[in-house]
Amino acid sequence: MESLQKGTILDITVEDLNTSCEGLARVDGMVLFVPGLLPGEKASVRITEVKKGYARGECLKISEKAHFRETPACPHYDLCGGCDFMHVKYDKAMELKAHIVAENLKRLGHVSWDEKKIKLIPAENKVHYRNKFLLPVRADKEGRFVCGAFRRGSREVIPIPHCLTQDLAARDVMNYIAEKAPQYGIKPFNEKTREGYLKGIGYRMEKRNKKMMLIFVITSEDTAPLQPLLDDLDFKFGHIDSIYANINPDPDHTGLSRKNIHISGKEFLDMYLGKAMYKVGPSTFFQVNSRQAELLFQHVLSLLPFERWGAVWDLYAGVGALSFFLASEFKRLYAVEIDPDSVEMAEKNKNRNFADNVTVIRGDLESLDVTQLEKPEVVVTDPPRTGLSEKLVTQLNKLRPTKIVLISCDSATLARDLDRLSEQYALKSMALADMFPMTRHIETVTLLQRREGEDDETRPLDQEIPGLS
Ligand SMILES: C[S@@+](CC[C@H](N)C(=O)[O-])C[C@H]1O[C@@H](n2cnc3c(N)ncnc32)[C@H](O)[C@@H]1O
């Protein structure tokens, strides 16, 4: 396409959103992505990048705004890469998320599911919902200490003291550390020289009692440089229940490593979902939005009104969040998880919840022979973004449980898995639980029912259990 060259300025009308929440327009048969624009909007844009088959642009001026556009409430929104949907009214953002899911299912899974039929489970708390947050710490160009979030599309860290997703009580602590750490001489990690000490600060927070776990990501096992700051925090805040150092010397790895040193307070944080209680460590997986996790798990339960007597498999179980939430509702459950720390925690959680009917199994679902387990009536899966392993799908197609409930945080891999299960299973319902309001992230719950024959369910499938919600 001749007219689309870097630097070209043109007027466009946005047709759709892509999965990264960028406006999508078509210009002379070529697809153009423009961050920040919404479907229906007309704008003047400058082309910034031309690739084979698509181009990217930046918005210069919006001449016709969408009626569902709104002014972002967060002062960091323009720069921070954390949120994507703050310029869209909430109900419309939910609709757009459902649209993205339905498009992915159609395009990648050959599954046609009307987006209007996706049940929406909106967020009860749209701000300050995160029970966990990890803020990177870096030296800026002048070597000064910066703590916050990565700038959109960049490795530069920018301060985000007014972040609207962090828990408020935890945010006070994060802001205090960001201010005091350089005063105590704590050296930030420098990505250029690959030197420095503090790489990140994080928290886990139980919102019911406001107790928190603090995590310092550092590059050596020496925790002495933190001590003056820790004494200060001890004096200033009463709700820090547990403090850890996470040792991450790898200059190319930004997140949490697997090596933790317990510095003070409780070894684990007590967290709650519904009536279940969980012990959680610094780097084990736990749902980031507790209230939405409760609503999601209640929805899973509502999909299984008649399956209380068979075995339920909770695959990719983490610390057993779903298993212990459901334990009193089913006869037997099997929680399968690969991570040894999570498995250890799941065993503790089993005792803590008196859940003798839950069997915790350490296993890799890429290779585990699940046919050795008690044959399931229901299988619930909650894999990482990569989706279900091929071996597991093959085994599920052979075992043919009555129902499979797929919890997924990536509708592209969900689409692939639905495709692989479609011969044996019919899609009966799909829900979208908004675990991450204001971001593009989407959590779906899909109910599959075994096809054909006398085993088929004819009862209503989306029926709520009285008294549960
Ligand atoms: C999205 S989390 C879900 C955890 C849990 N269902 C919950 O709600 O807290 C995915 C979990 O799958 C585990 N996992 C990843 N790959 C796995 C594998 N190949 N076999 C078993 N578990 C795996 C991870 O360690 C993680 O705990």
Side-chain angles (χ1 to χ4, degrees), residues 228-361:
L229 173 64
L230 298 183
D231 294 342
D232 186 338
L233 290 170
D234 192 29
F235 187 69
K236 173 95 180 157
F237 297 102
H239 58 291
I240 302 173
D241 229 21
S242 166
I243 301 182
Y244 270 90
N246 179 270
I247 316 303
N248 186 349
D250 181 352
D252 298 316
H253 180 233
T254 36
L256 292 176
S257 77
R258 291 183 50 92
K259 186 169 173 67
N260 294 299
I261 296 178
H262 180 221
I263 298 181
S264 64
K266 287 191 175 168
E267 205 180 342
F268 304 110
L269 190 68
D270 293 335
M271 298 199 70
Y272 302 86
L273 294 178
K275 287 179 281 179
M277 181 270 186
Y278 308 87
K279 293 211 173 286
V280 180
S283 45
T284 41
F285 179 91
F286 195 74
Q287 298 285 347
V288 162
N289 184 336
S290 299
R291 181 60 192 139
Q292 287 310 108
E294 289 174 340
L295 295 178
L296 188 153
F297 291 173
Q298 276 174 8
H299 177 67
V300 171
L301 186 56
S302 75
L303 300 174
L304 309 170
F306 307 108
E307 288 80 13
R308 304 303 170 89
W309 294 96
V312 176
W313 290 1
D314 170 15
L315 305 184
Y316 304 90
V319 298
L322 181 74
S323 286
F324 302 118
F325 189 92
L326 296 182
S328 58
E329 307 286 341
F330 293 91
K331 195 166 178 200
R332 272 185 309 284
L333 295 103
Y334 296 84
V336 183
E337 165 63 40
I338 193 172
D339 173 47
D341 293 344
S342 301
V343 169
E344 190 189 328
M345 217 64 67
E347 286 291 358
K348 286 191 200 314
N349 294 334
K350 171 175 168 161
N351 292 336
R352 186 63 186 79
N353 290 288
F354 311 107
D356 290 341
N357 60 339
V358 177
T359 305
V360 178
I361 295 160

Side-chain angles (χ1 to χ4, degrees), residues 174-446:
M174 297 289 109
N175 286 345
Y176 191 76
I177 295 174
E179 182 197 331
K180 291 288 177 180
Q183 294 174 18
Y184 285 113
I186 295 174
K187 297 271 175 283
F189 178 67
N190 188 321
E191 276 202 352
K192 220 172 187 177
T193 61
R194 297 158 85 88
E195 285 168 354
Y197 178 70
L198 187 61
K199 260 183 158 177
I201 51 173
Y203 73 81
R204 277 191 186 278
M205 160 71 79
E206 170 45 58
K207 284 172 171 286
R208 292 190 195 178
N209 58 15
K210 292 286 174 200
K211 296 285 187 193
M212 66 185 281
M213 174 184 277
L214 258 188
I215 304 148
F216 292 87
V217 186
I218 53 179
T219 53
S220 86
E221 291 189 23
D222 179 13
T223 60
L226 294 174
Q227 203 49 54
L229 173 64
L230 298 183
D231 294 342
D232 186 338
L233 290 170
D234 192 29
F235 187 69
K236 173 95 180 157
F237 297 102
H239 58 291
I240 302 173
D241 229 21
S242 166
I243 301 182
Y244 270 90
N246 179 270
I247 316 303
N248 186 349
D250 181 352
D252 298 316
H253 180 233
T254 36
L256 292 176
S257 77
R258 291 183 50 92
K259 186 169 173 67
N260 294 299
I261 296 178
H262 180 221
I263 298 181
S264 64
K266 287 191 175 168
E267 205 180 342
F268 304 110
L269 190 68
D270 293 335
M271 298 199 70
Y272 302 86
L273 294 178
K275 287 179 281 179
M277 181 270 186
Y278 308 87
K279 293 211 173 286
V280 180
S283 45
T284 41
F285 179 91
F286 195 74
Q287 298 285 347
V288 162
N289 184 336
S290 299
R291 181 60 192 139
Q292 287 310 108
E294 289 174 340
L295 295 178
L296 188 153
F297 291 173
Q298 276 174 8
H299 177 67
V300 171
L301 186 56
S302 75
L303 300 174
L304 309 170
F306 307 108
E307 288 80 13
R308 304 303 170 89
W309 294 96
V312 176
W313 290 1
D314 170 15
L315 305 184
Y316 304 90
V319 298
L322 181 74
S323 286
F324 302 118
F325 189 92
L326 296 182
S328 58
E329 307 286 341
F330 293 91
K331 195 166 178 200
R332 272 185 309 284
L333 295 103
Y334 296 84
V336 183
E337 165 63 40
I338 193 172
D339 173 47
D341 293 344
S342 301
V343 169
E344 190 189 328
M345 217 64 67
E347 286 291 358
K348 286 191 200 314
N349 294 334
K350 171 175 168 161
N351 292 336
R352 186 63 186 79
N353 290 288
F354 311 107
D356 290 341
N357 60 339
V358 177
T359 305
V360 178
I361 295 160
R362 182 177 168 194
D364 180 354
L365 289 159
E366 292 287 335
S367 53
L368 188 73
D369 179 5
V370 288
T371 57
Q372 302 300 312
L373 303 178
E374 179 185 354
K375 193 171 187 301
E377 177 156 18
V378 175
V379 172
V380 185
T381 62
D382 186 8
R385 306 193 75 82
T386 44
L388 304 182
S389 78
E390 212 172 332
K391 170 148 185 171
L392 177 63
V393 172
T394 309
Q395 294 184 93
L396 291 179
N397 274 326
K398 277 201 188 115
L399 283 163
R400 303 185 79 241
T402 315
K403 287 180 179 173
I404 301 178
V405 180
L406 303 166
I407 303 172
S408 164
C409 57
D410 187 322
S411 54
T413 53
L414 170 70
R416 180 203 63 202
D417 295 338
L418 288 177
D419 198 21
R420 289 173 175 171
L421 289 162
S422 61
E423 217 168 281
Q424 305 276 357
Y425 285 89
L427 199 165
K428 288 291 180 179
S429 85
M430 175 164 281
L432 192 165
D434 199 18
M435 303 290 266
F436 308 100
M438 298 188 287
T439 76
R440 64 174 180 276
H441 299 292
I442 306 174
E443 198 84 5
T444 52
V445 183
T446 308

Side-chain angles (χ1 to χ4, degrees), residues 64-80:
E64 232 174 80
K65 286 187 180 171
H67 62 88
F68 47 84
R69 175 178 282 277
E70 71 178 3
T71 309
C74 174
H76 313 301
Y77 185 61
D78 283 348
L79 297 182
C80 174

